[in-house]
Amino acid sequence: MDEVTKRIATFAKKTINLDELQQLLNPFFSSYTDFAEAVREFERHQVLVMIRASGRTIRTPALANRYRINKSAMSGDYHKELQHYRSKLHRAISLDSYYRSDPELWASDLPDLIKVDHYLKNHGFPQEAVPAPERSFELVADEKWIDEKGGRELLEKTGLYARLNILPVSDPLMLAINPRFIHESEQTHLIVENKTTYQGLLPVLKQTRFATLIYGCGKAVIKSIEQFSMQYPVRAAHRFLYFGDLDREGLSIWYSLNQKQAAEPALPFYEACLKKKAAAGKAYQQARSTAIDAFLTHFPKPEAQQIQSALQNGNYYPQEILKTNELQQIGREADWKN
């Protein structure tokens, strides 16, 4: 698919008037005659279909005043281009997702895919794990590409990310270790959103069933949880529990974390919060319905309704609603095996 066709394919609307079309394609043509000849060629191939009710211009050559963009006519060439590159690029590079995506995405990704292809053909898949910026520079000569410029997304959709031995670069995971359980084959880890809760539970960690107490630091844990296996290289079946603020933001953090690392709500803590009077405020927070719905499935119906009602009324339950002695008692005495 040539650049002119790609530009037309990016136009958001299904129809386009002549002035819009000329402005869209202006970078490619130095004269009206060249522009008109290209448009007439698109007409012959049914890429641009004249809307008859709008008529034609009186200028020579005459063009339609308005066209319907037939994107299905462009997909044939687009798919041929994908097939062409599928035969050229390294066999490990999957292009399947591009058949379902906008041609403009393919056009923007192609230069980087060619660089990755060149790396794989010359070096193969690396055996040694290195940090993302180092691997990024090796692949495309830009150390920020993987983490900050969409490189990770490109590598994931082409099936390469997991095979390139990339160490994630994020802030260290902040955790405390309970030596009682370090050799257990099944271990439970508690992640808490706020520093106050972390500090409150830390003195009694050895009296709990938790192998580690992890300070989530708000949203930071969504990224830093990637460091867990490197900071705690203990072979075991690891189960994660999460306790955060019972507000829209807290539920959103839990949901994003749960997408990366399964983490069940630490129900005894939340149940204790629900026995308190909800605090007013946080109505300004944006509701993330998918997060709320997923969170509520872990609670019996009465408690789920109580949480839903509080959130709808702009109320919330902060972690700090539980006093230190309450936190510690729950941490020591609750049944954490279920």
Side-chain angles (χ1 to χ4, degrees), residues 255-276:
Y255 183 77
S256 296
L257 170 66
N258 193 52
Q259 296 291 100
K260 295 188 71 172
Q261 171 60 65
E264 308 162 38
L267 294 182
F269 288 120
Y270 286 114
E271 289 166 350
C273 290
L274 292 172
K275 294 176 182 177
K276 309 283 186 176

Side-chain angles (χ1 to χ4, degrees), residues 33-241:
T33 301
D34 291 340
F35 164 73
E37 288 178 359
V39 172
R40 293 299 292 268
E41 185 68 17
F42 282 124
E43 283 191 47
R44 283 191 287 273
H45 288 89
Q46 295 292 300
V47 171
L48 295 174
V49 180
M50 173 186 176
I51 297 177
R52 296 190 177 279
S54 299
R56 284 189 177 273
T57 65
I58 59 173
R59 198 169 179 180
T60 304
L63 300 176
N65 286 309
R66 193 167 187 80
Y67 290 98
R68 178 173 60 83
I69 300 174
N70 183 11
K71 293 195 176 183
S72 63
M74 291 184 275
S75 64
D77 290 339
Y78 173 46
H79 289 174
K80 286 179 183 177
E81 182 173 343
L82 290 176
Q83 290 164 6
H84 167 71
Y85 276 99
R86 175 173 268 172
S87 66
K88 285 184 60 178
L89 297 174
H90 191 282
R91 63 182 180 277
I93 300 175
S94 171
L95 302 183
D96 291 351
S97 68
Y98 289 102
Y99 284 88
R100 304 182 297 273
S101 62
D102 193 308
E104 185 69 10
L105 177 63
W106 161 252
S108 66
D109 284 355
L110 182 56
D112 288 329
L113 278 174
I114 291 173
K115 293 177 183 178
V116 173
D117 169 70
H118 179 77
Y119 173 88
L120 291 175
K121 287 177 178 174
N122 283 277
H123 304 285
F125 285 100
Q127 298 302 308
E128 182 182 357
V130 300
E134 181 178 339
R135 185 71 74 223
S136 186
F137 192 80
E138 290 176 345
L139 293 173
V140 300
D142 182 345
E143 70 280 4
K144 297 182 179 179
W145 179 68
I146 289 177
D147 282 336
E148 300 178 29
K149 298 183 179 179
R152 176 166 182 159
E153 290 77 10
L154 183 150
L155 294 174
E156 286 178 339
K157 70 188 171 192
T158 53
L160 299 176
Y161 187 83
R163 301 183 63 183
L164 283 168
N165 247 332
I166 298 167
L167 292 174
V169 175
S170 57
D171 290 332
L173 189 65
M174 292 173 273
L175 55 84
I177 296 173
N178 184 349
R180 290 177 56 209
F181 296 99
I182 200 165
H183 299 298
E184 295 287 329
S185 59
E186 296 183 1
Q187 300 186 14
T188 300
H189 308 274
L190 176 64
I191 304 169
V192 296
E193 180 184 340
N194 296 337
K195 188 181 297 184
T196 303
T197 307
Y198 176 86
Q199 295 290 358
L201 286 169
L202 186 59
V204 297
L205 177 59
K206 290 183 181 180
Q207 303 167 38
T208 72
R209 294 287 309 173
F210 304 127
T212 67
L213 175 63
I214 299 171
Y215 169 40
C217 193
K219 294 180 180 178
V221 71
I222 300 168
K223 190 72 176 170
S224 62
I225 195 65
E226 297 173 343
Q227 304 281 356
F228 178 81
S229 60
M230 288 178 281
Q231 291 184 224
Y232 190 76
V234 176
R235 296 186 64 179
H238 297 292
R239 175 189 179 216
F240 293 86
L241 300 178

Side-chain angles (χ1 to χ4, degrees), residues 273-287:
C273 290
L274 292 172
K275 294 176 182 177
K276 309 283 186 176
K277 182 180 179 181
K282 302 294 184 78
Y284 61 88
Q285 291 181 342
Q286 291 295 312

